[in-house]
Amino acid sequence: MKNKIITIERFLLEKQPVYAHGELTSILYDLALAAKIIASQTQRAGLLDILGFADNVNVQGEEQRKLDVYADDVIYQLNNHTGRLCAMVSEEREDIIPIPMDHPKGKYILVYDPLDGSSNIDTNISIGTIFGVYQTLNYDKRGSLEDCLQPGKNLIAAGYILFGTSTMLVYSAGEGVHGFTLDPAWGEFILSEENMRFPDPPQFFSFNHAITNRLPKYMHQYIHWLLTMEKPKLTHRYVGSMVADFHRNMIHGGVFGYPAEATKPDGKIRLLYEAAPLAYLAKQAGGYGSDGTQSLLEITPTNIHQRVPVFIGNRFLVEKAEEFMAMGSS
Ligand code: FBP
């Protein structure tokens, strides 16, 4: 065994602040259970009737895939009755998700993308779940839209579940970023990466080159700068699942970008449950997330499904994108 055997349960309890009542710990632990349940499907996807489309279109106008709906349901069913949450937001549901009146409400808000990288679901390429946890702005009330429209700097925890060669859960609650690998034989998430940090020098940049022709001139200049940089010399890798590209870049160093383009002035990535949680992790791991003009963590959403241009990774690579953007718009 490579590591000391530390389960996610023990790690969460040991890291829990003395004043805590354990609700946040329990929410993170429930997400670990959701990961196991969803992994039990993704790992056998080709054998089950879980691939393909669900004959339904979500609020983004995208055809929902069966695994999108399944993962969304698992996370909802695990969290709607615990008394820890007062509302949820999911990429797959149009409006904020209230806690049923016949269940007690709590003080936390869970925002999540049940399955990021949907276009890769049917081709056995890494996909993942992204999540963020906020505290309510009004303890007396049941969850409101205002509770859900908070900037990323208010996050108290964030993370992702990666369904790849192994299933991993990576999270931060403000004290570094930690990764756990699911041991399918034990059914336990075991600590495998403690205090993850973006290493220097970085190795990779991740952009969808297919959209390059639709990008503004300054973005061409930035990507050319990435391509031609000598020290360090970067290599291009793009999975098409942001969570997987982010994970690789956090381990080896790099930058992921999904800029605004002519047909998508706000880019493609959703702020609340995709960009902000990963920007929170990036900051905890010594990196940085920006929309090209400011920190993603400073942006207060006006809509739960709003999109935002994204540059996230090693700070100097992201700040360079801001520089080119500033030059381009001056
Ligand atoms: P989903 O959450 O709907 O999967 O959308 C986000 C995403 O799949 C990212 O994970 C990925 O980086 C990007 O869209 C891929 O977009 P494109 O196919 O345009 O490169």
Side-chain angles (χ1 to χ4, degrees), residues 258-260 264-269 275 290-292 296 299 307-311 325:
Y258 208 109
K264 294 184 185 133
D266 297 321
K268 177 181 182 181
I269 306 299
S290 168
D291 70 346
L296 288 161
I299 306 173
R307 300 172 192 264
V308 69
V310 167
F311 304 90
M325 203 150 169

Side-chain angles (χ1 to χ4, degrees), residues 154-179:
N154 290 5
L155 280 162
I156 53 158
Y160 56 84
I161 303 158
L162 185 60
F163 303 104
T165 37
S166 64
T167 299
M168 283 193 75
L169 191 154
V170 175
Y171 89 99
S172 178
E175 288 180 21
V177 179
H178 313 291

Side-chain angles (χ1 to χ4, degrees), residues 15-172:
K15 285 274 180 191
Q16 187 175 275
V18 281
Y19 55 78
H21 301 104
E23 289 144 301
L24 177 60
T25 298
S26 304
I27 293 168
L28 294 170
Y29 196 57
D30 283 344
L31 286 164
L33 177 56
K36 294 178 195 175
I37 298 171
I38 299 166
S40 73
Q41 300 294 304
T42 58
Q43 284 160 2
R44 294 177 298 146
L47 308 174
L48 304 170
D49 179 22
I50 196 89
L51 293 178
F53 292 101
D55 299 332
N56 193 28
V57 173
N58 69 14
V59 61
Q60 332 278 348
E62 295 158 347
E63 271 204 87
Q64 283 184 316
R65 294 172 187 260
K66 290 178 185 166
L67 258 174
D68 276 325
V69 177
Y70 178 81
D72 179 57
D73 217 33
V74 167
I75 296 169
Y76 173 73
Q77 297 294 348
L78 270 171
N79 287 287
N80 72 346
H81 62 285
T82 60
R84 299 178 194 120
L85 298 177
C86 60
M88 293 183 255
V89 170
S90 166
E91 180 187 68
E92 298 304 330
R93 302 190 189 205
E94 179 144 9
D95 299 314
I96 75 166
I97 309 167
I99 299 301
M101 293 306 282
D102 56 347
H103 290 316
K105 73 157 188 80
K107 62 180 179 188
Y108 294 109
I109 293 106
L110 176 66
V111 300
Y112 63 98
D113 175 359
L115 271 186
D116 176 61
S118 305
S119 61
N120 285 325
I121 288 177
D122 294 357
T123 50
N124 203 5
I125 293 169
S126 300
I127 51 179
T129 299
I130 305 174
F131 62 86
V133 181
Y134 291 92
Q135 244 170 6
T136 182
L137 301 171
N138 189 332
Y139 289 78
D140 306 328
K141 289 228 184 90
R142 297 189 82 90
S144 66
L145 181 58
E146 193 206 354
D147 279 322
C148 301
L149 294 176
Q150 297 187 52
K153 62 184 175 191
N154 290 5
L155 280 162
I156 53 158
Y160 56 84
I161 303 158
L162 185 60
F163 303 104
T165 37
S166 64
T167 299
M168 283 193 75
L169 191 154
V170 175
Y171 89 99
S172 178

Side-chain angles (χ1 to χ4, degrees), residues 215-274:
L215 297 178
K217 189 158 170 278
Y218 58 78
M219 239 337 96
H220 280 274
Q221 292 163 337
Y222 173 58
I223 293 175
H224 180 72
W225 175 81
L226 291 168
L227 268 168
T228 55
M229 187 163 32
E230 283 305 324
K231 274 193 172 315
K233 187 124 198 71
L234 300 179
T235 301
H236 183 253
R237 290 278 185 282
Y238 186 74
V239 173
S241 297
M242 178 171 65
V243 67
D245 284 311
F246 177 88
H247 186 73
R248 180 219 311 109
N249 292 345
M250 187 160 61
I251 290 176
H252 293 302
V255 59
F256 167 90
Y258 208 109
E261 51 169 308
T263 53
K264 294 184 185 133
D266 297 321
K268 177 181 182 181
I269 306 299
R270 277 49 64 130
L271 172 63
L272 187 60
Y273 42 76
E274 292 181 321

